[in-house]
Structure formats: structure tokens, C-alpha cells
């Protein structure tokens, strides 16, 4: 099977994962996922594998095969896995779960190398671009920075007590972090590097982005510069695009009929893919804010999407 230059995948409560031709909207592969719902999808930096986070495992599928079976399974979480991602060279994977832990895995051996206790259900985990710190957000409203070199929690923040952190995102250059919560609020911090390697948070902005839940927040990628945007996907059926310079609302993407669960930028920030409870995923062009493609095929809520349209090689 020739590897497509653009890999787009979605997962749904219908217990399937679908691969799509991004331009035509044609679904060219469906993987049955009977064991659980899929909470999160992520593609490895080398474009070879797709990770699917479920309950209570992570499964890795070969992107370039038609095999319905996972290549490998990661099994030591004890509840829903809500976050998954990869080190830039693809050597290890990180995850966060409703079992209250953040874990680091050896990708090849599927062994859990480290485990960090958040003491509340973990909803979101991101890797700092320095590749040395994980930042997690949990159901009790805690944000924690896990210093991988020191192997400990180096920082703890609670922007709003007892308000669940749903999503975290870090600017590609490590200059900013945004946390979105269940009350439609985004908290924005400037990330400062002290004399130590420890990252410290300086409050920058509080954005009341939506009336409903924010289910995903995402900062635009490097090749979108000098324009820098924040996308917020919400239970109010919309995605809002904010200019990071002053956090002015640039566009509201309207078209989904129900909750928008997930979104992902193209590598140049010119397009956005969204996944919604209305069963569809959509491709939006950022220049006009219009949906130019609808991906139809799932029978229940489409809750996550993954896109890799960049170079195969891992970043240096």
C-alpha cells in the first residue's frame, strides 16, 4: 500500500476508526474497534502508526496496512485513556487517563517506563516543545508540569477550583500555554524559562470563549507564523478562531449541528479539521472560515480526529 502524503483519521462512538482522502472526502479504510469507544487519536511523527486511546488501553495500528488488527497494545491503565502523544523522534509515547495517572511508554516494547499520579481523572496531556516536560490537566481543575529529567512534578496551578480542565495546548515555540475548562473559559499564560530548566507560568489573559463547554483548544502550528491563532471547539456547536495578539475573535466556524469534540490544524495552519457529535468531520479553510469538505460515514458521534500532512521525518 503506497503511503498517502496526507493522513486523516477519525473515530466515533460507532466503534470504528476511518481513514479518509482529505481532498476528495472518500473513506478508504475502516477499522472495527469493538472493545471500547475511542477517546483520542494521534499519528506518530514518522506517519507509520496511528494510536487509538480507549478504555483502558492504547492500540497502535499500521497506517500503511489493511490489517484490522493492532500492531501492539499498551495495557496498564485502569480506566479511559483521554490523552496520547509522542516524543518528536517517536521513541516514546505519553498518555493520560481517568485512572488519575500520566504514563510514559516505550513504543517498541509496550512497557510503561514511568507513572505520575495526578490524584484526579486526567483529561488532557501535552508535551512541551522542549520535549522535557509534560503538562497535564485534570477533572479537579489542576494543571501540573511533570519534569521528565527530575522525574517529578515541578509546578502546580489551579486556575479555577473544582472546574475541570478539558484541554491544554502549548505554542510551538514554548512561549505560551492555554487551558480550556468546563465553563467555556480559556486561561492563557506566558511560559517563562527561569535560570533553571523549570518552566514558570505568568498569567497573560482570561478569555470567556464560549457559553458551553470547551472540548478542545489548539494553538496554530509553526508554519502559520507570523499569524498566531487559538481555536476553541465547543458544545455550542461552533469552533471559534482567536487572534493570539490581543485574543480578538477572528472567525466563528458554523456548520456542525451538535457538539464539536476535536479539531486539528494542517501543518501550515491554513486548514482546520473538526469532529462532531453530528457524526461528521469537516475541513475548513481558515482564510474564509468556510467548510469545504464534509467527511460522512460514521453512524454515531465523531469524537476525535488526527491529521498528519507534514514531512515524514521527525523534527530535529
Amino acid at each position: 500500500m503506497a503511503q498517502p502524503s496526507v493522513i486523516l483519521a477519525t473515530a466515533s462512538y460507532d466503534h470504528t476508526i476511518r481513514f479518509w482522502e482529505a481532498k476528495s472526502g472518500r473513506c478508504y479504510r475502516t477499522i472495527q474497534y469493538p472493545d471500547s469507544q475511542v477517546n483520542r487519536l494521534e499519528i506518530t511523527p514518522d506517519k507509520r502508526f496511528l494510536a487509538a486511546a480507549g478504555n483502558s488501553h492504547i492500540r497502535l495500528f499500521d497506517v500503511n496496512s489493511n490489517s484490522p488488527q493492532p500492531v501492539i497494545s499498551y495495557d496498564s491503565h485502569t480506566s479511559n485513556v483521554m490523552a496520547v502523544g509522542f516524543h518528536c523522534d517517536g521513541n516514546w509515547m505519553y498518555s493520560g487517563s481517568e485512572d488519575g495517572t500520566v504514563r510514559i511508554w516505550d513504543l517498541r516494547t509496550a512497557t510503561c517506563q514511568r507513572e505520575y499520579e495526578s490524584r484526579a481523572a486526567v483529561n488532557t496531556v501535552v508535551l512541551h516543545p522542549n520535549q522535557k516536560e509534560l503538562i497535564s490537566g485534570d477533572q479537579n481543575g489542576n494543571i501540573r508540569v511533570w519534569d521528565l529529567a527530575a522525574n517529578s512534578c515541578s509546578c502546580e496551578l489551579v486556575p479555577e477550583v473544582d472546574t475541570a480542565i478539558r484541554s491544554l495546548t502549548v505554542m510551538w515555540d514554548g512561549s505560551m500555554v492555554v487551558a480550556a475548562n468546563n465553563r467555556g473559559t480559556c486561561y492563557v499564560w506566558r511560559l517563562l524559562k527561569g535560570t533553571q530548566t523549570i518552566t514558570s507560568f505568568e498569567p497573560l489573559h482570561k478569555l470567556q470563549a464560549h457559553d458551553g463547554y470547551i472540548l478542545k483548544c489548539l494553538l496554530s502550528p509553526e508554519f502559520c507564523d507570523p499569524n498566531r491563532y487559538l481555536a476553541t471547539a465547543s458544545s455550542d456547536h461552533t469552533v471559534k478562531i482567536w487572534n493570539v495578539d490581543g485574543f480578538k475573535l477572528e472567525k466563528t466556524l458554523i456548520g456542525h449541528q451538535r457538539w464539536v469534540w476535536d479539531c486539528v490544524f494542517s501543518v501550515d495552519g491554513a486548514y482546520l479539521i473538526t469532529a462532531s457529535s453530528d457524526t461528521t468531520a469537516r475541513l475548513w479553510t481558515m482564510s474564509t472560515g468556510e467548510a469545504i469538505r464534509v467527511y460522512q460515514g460514521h453512524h454515531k458521534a465523531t469524537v476525535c480526529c488526527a491529521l498528519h500532512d507534514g514531512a515524514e521525518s521527525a523534527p530535529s
Side-chain angles (χ1 to χ4, degrees):
M1 228 176 119
Q3 177 164 306
S5 60
V6 177
I7 296 156
L8 170 60
T10 58
S12 163
Y13 285 161
D14 66 11
H15 293 281
T16 67
I17 297 166
R18 288 177 177 264
F19 288 85
W20 307 85
E21 288 176 358
K23 283 199 172 100
S24 71
R26 184 180 78 89
C27 174
Y28 65 88
R29 181 184 176 194
T30 303
I31 297 171
Q32 301 297 322
Y33 201 93
D35 298 354
S36 83
Q37 69 195 51
V38 177
N39 302 307
R40 187 65 58 204
L41 292 172
E42 198 68 47
I43 299 159
T44 54
D46 63 8
K47 285 185 169 179
R48 290 181 57 203
F49 301 103
L50 176 76
N55 186 3
S56 48
H57 49 256
I58 304 157
R59 303 260 159 86
L60 208 63
F61 293 92
D62 189 336
V63 166
N64 303 308
S65 145
N66 278 322
S67 169
Q69 299 305 316
V71 179
I72 199 162
S73 188
Y74 306 81
D75 293 317
S76 65
H77 279 299
T78 57
S79 187
N80 266 309
V81 182
M82 302 303 291
V84 65
F86 300 96
H87 183 260
C88 67
D89 65 9
N91 284 345
W92 50 265
M93 177 174 71
Y94 61 87
S95 62
S97 166
E98 289 180 346
D99 65 16
T101 67
V102 173
R103 293 175 190 247
I104 292 178
W105 308 81
D106 182 292
L107 211 55
R108 282 177 284 280
T109 63
T111 52
C112 177
Q113 295 178 316
R114 293 189 190 177
E115 180 181 329
Y116 300 114
E117 288 281 347
S118 188
R119 303 190 296 280
V122 175
N123 293 327
T124 176
V125 184
V126 288
L127 178 62
H128 190 288
N130 65 19
Q131 308 290 308
K132 297 183 177 75
E133 292 165 308
L134 287 171
I135 308 172
S136 66
D138 70 27
Q139 195 64 21
N140 290 356
N142 302 296
I143 297 168
R144 291 190 176 89
V145 180
W146 306 95
D147 183 328
L148 304 184
N151 207 22
S152 64
C153 178
S154 61
C155 178
E156 208 165 317
L157 290 168
V158 187
E160 225 172 305
V161 178
D162 291 333
T163 304
I165 304 292
R166 294 298 297 235
S167 183
L168 287 164
T169 180
V170 185
M171 187 64 81
W172 64 268
D173 61 1
S175 63
M176 179 187 292
V177 65
V178 181
N181 72 17
N182 263 359
R183 291 186 179 159
T185 310
C186 285
Y187 287 88
V188 186
W189 293 269
R190 190 178 279 120
L191 290 185
L192 303 172
K193 271 277 173 249
T195 48
Q196 311 301 312
T197 55
I198 308 277
T199 293
S200 61
F201 289 65
E202 179 187 274
L204 185 65
H205 196 79
K206 181 183 174 182
L207 175 69
Q208 192 55 45
H210 298 265
D211 292 332
Y213 299 132
I214 299 175
L215 302 167
K216 179 71 178 276
C217 64
L218 188 63
L219 287 160
S220 56
E222 176 179 0
F223 299 114
C224 188
D225 267 27
N227 299 311
R228 295 188 168 199
Y229 300 111
L230 171 69
T232 55
S234 171
S235 60
D236 69 11
H237 309 181
T238 71
V239 179
K240 291 183 180 177
I241 308 296
W242 309 84
N243 193 319
V244 168
D245 181 18
F247 289 92
K248 291 182 282 293
L249 180 63
E250 290 264 331
K251 290 184 178 69
T252 303
L253 310 185
I254 297 171
H256 281 300
Q257 305 302 307
R258 298 184 68 187
W259 290 22
V260 185
W261 283 94
D262 200 5
C263 62
V264 58
F265 279 106
S266 61
V267 72
D268 60 0
Y271 300 95
L272 188 76
I273 302 272
T274 54
S276 167
S277 294
D278 67 13
T279 76
T280 70
R282 291 176 192 237
L283 172 67
W284 307 80
T285 173
M286 292 289 286
S287 59
T288 64
E290 290 171 19
I292 56 173
R293 186 71 63 242
V294 180
Y295 305 97
Q296 288 179 301
H298 286 299
H299 306 300
K300 290 184 179 175
T302 303
V303 291
C304 51
C305 53
L307 175 72
H308 192 332
D309 63 329
E312 283 98 49
S313 57
S316 57

